[in-house]
Amino acid sequence: MLKKKTTHARKKSTKGTYGLALSGGAALGAYQAGTIQAFFEAGLDVRAVAGSSVGALNGYLAATGQIETMLRFWKDIDQRRLITVNSFTKLFFSTTPSLLTDQIQRELVEKTVRRDELIRSGREYICTAISIHTGQLHYFECHKARTDKELQDYILASAAVPGIFPPITIGDELFMDGGLVRNTPVEALEQKKLTTIIAVSMESESYPVESLQNTGQIALRTISIFFRSQANDAIERSINSVKRRAKNILLLRPQHPLAMQQYEFDPKKINQLVQQGYDEAKLFILTHELN
């Protein structure tokens, strides 16, 4: 009597669909850029991107697949034209509306951001901003923008760090950095048809052991602690949300202290952060078996 041959069907791997929720963090956005590079190199099917502050700048370039442009932006940053840690305390004593103009951000945005590019990408892109008049948080669905300028203003508004960059006028209201309320905008993606939402926060699991040297560094550390707590809360809210459609909510943040402060913009350290983000994201992809 012949024995019936049994076969074991190999479990078929189902390719996931992904949303990226990108936190703000000024110069620490270099780490985020490295993670985005790794996600796209791995071929993850990114369908939607939401960003706050510098996450809005990185987010547009991610949504349109302009990864090389994003990396080149971080590589070419001119520190002499930007705020530094030592000048951060001037924020509290300045008599002007902002410490800096938004010239550098505006140059990048006006040169790069095009409505047609976003439409062709097929990805949804959302950025956050706060109305100075009402205090309400707005989620700008950028793929619905009617003109290039409207899309550019959404991004510039999201990146308008209060006191550092000037607010942006949209309609009859002034808008500023949405990261103050939703620095990790996970909830903007909760109702999207996605398998997994990956939130990228630049606040590390631990901080350097050396003591802080001045008021500016203490202020920046305080902001970092606040944003780290915000990211944790955002993930917890989304996991427990009845509106959530994504099966998985994941948080990627630096496993080791970053070698730079939020407003340091040191070119050598920026390169280190990009590499650290890239390396840690590759490990993250393997650990969570993302495909």
Side-chain angles (χ1 to χ4, degrees):
M1 181 177 178
L2 294 175
K3 290 185 178 180
K4 186 177 180 180
K5 187 176 180 180
T6 59
T7 60
H8 298 279
R10 188 175 179 181
K11 188 176 180 181
K12 194 171 182 180
S13 176
T14 304
K15 191 171 177 63
T17 56
Y18 295 87
L20 302 180
L22 305 176
S23 294
L28 305 186
Y31 173 89
Q32 188 179 83
T35 69
I36 293 168
Q37 179 188 10
F39 293 147
F40 275 75
E41 279 190 10
L44 299 190
D45 184 7
V46 177
R47 299 283 182 90
V49 181
S52 291
S53 200
V54 75
L57 294 170
N58 281 337
Y60 169 81
L61 296 170
T64 54
Q66 298 184 70
I67 308 306
E68 289 302 321
T69 299
M70 177 185 66
L71 296 173
R72 188 164 58 249
F73 164 72
W74 285 103
K75 180 180 178 181
D76 294 343
I77 280 180
D78 184 351
Q79 185 179 13
R80 293 169 298 178
R81 299 169 65 193
L82 294 164
I83 191 170
T84 65
V85 172
N86 291 333
S87 65
F88 182 78
T89 52
K90 294 179 183 178
L91 171 63
F92 303 104
F93 305 104
S94 175
T95 58
T96 60
S98 61
L99 289 180
L100 300 174
T101 69
D102 60 359
Q103 180 184 355
I104 296 175
Q105 292 182 151
R106 187 170 291 277
E107 286 175 0
L108 171 70
V109 168
E110 291 182 349
K111 179 181 178 181
T112 309
V113 173
R114 296 290 180 272
R115 176 183 174 276
D116 288 347
E117 286 282 344
L118 183 59
I119 299 302
R120 277 195 296 269
S121 76
R123 297 186 182 96
E124 292 187 59
Y125 168 57
I126 301 162
C127 62
T128 66
I130 301 168
S131 167
I132 292 178
H133 296 144
T134 66
Q136 291 185 332
L137 178 71
H138 289 247
Y139 290 112
F140 291 118
E141 296 186 85
C142 295
H143 52 286
K144 296 181 180 179
R146 294 163 294 184
T147 64
D148 288 348
K149 186 180 185 307
E150 186 174 13
L151 174 56
Q152 291 164 5
D153 283 346
Y154 290 163
I155 297 171
L156 288 169
S158 186
V161 181
I164 297 177
F165 297 117
I168 302 297
T169 301
I170 300 176
D172 297 325
E173 296 183 73
L174 284 173
F175 287 87
M176 62 182 181
D177 187 349
L180 293 175
V181 177
R182 289 291 187 275
N183 195 50
T184 309
V186 182
E187 67 182 28
L189 302 175
E190 282 180 356
Q191 298 184 54
K192 306 299 180 184
K193 293 180 180 179
L194 303 165
T195 305
T196 302
I197 297 171
I198 303 173
V200 182
S201 170
M202 282 82 81
E203 314 308 329
S204 63
E205 293 289 350
S206 60
Y207 293 110
V209 295
E210 59 265 22
S211 61
L212 303 176
Q213 300 298 316
N214 55 51
T215 304
Q217 290 178 347
I218 293 171
L220 290 172
R221 176 64 58 80
T222 303
I223 292 170
S224 177
I225 292 170
F226 170 70
F227 284 150
R228 186 168 70 176
S229 177
Q230 262 205 21
N232 292 342
D233 290 345
I235 294 296
E236 185 174 353
R237 282 196 306 271
S238 287
I239 289 174
N240 295 322
S241 174
V242 296
K243 298 178 180 179
R244 175 171 60 88
R245 301 178 73 176
K247 180 179 178 181
N248 303 308
I249 308 288
L250 304 176
L251 174 62
L252 169 59
R253 59 163 39 119
Q255 297 303 300
H256 307 286
L258 297 177
M260 193 170 69
Q261 300 267 16
Q262 291 100 317
Y263 293 97
E264 196 169 349
F265 291 100
D266 182 319
K268 291 182 180 179
K269 292 181 179 179
I270 282 176
N271 288 333
Q272 292 177 26
L273 262 63
V274 171
Q275 188 63 49
Q276 182 177 342
Y278 178 78
D279 292 339
E280 293 190 0
K282 286 183 70 175
L283 180 60
F284 182 87
I285 291 166
L286 289 173
T287 301
H288 292 281
E289 299 182 338
L290 307 181
N291 58 23

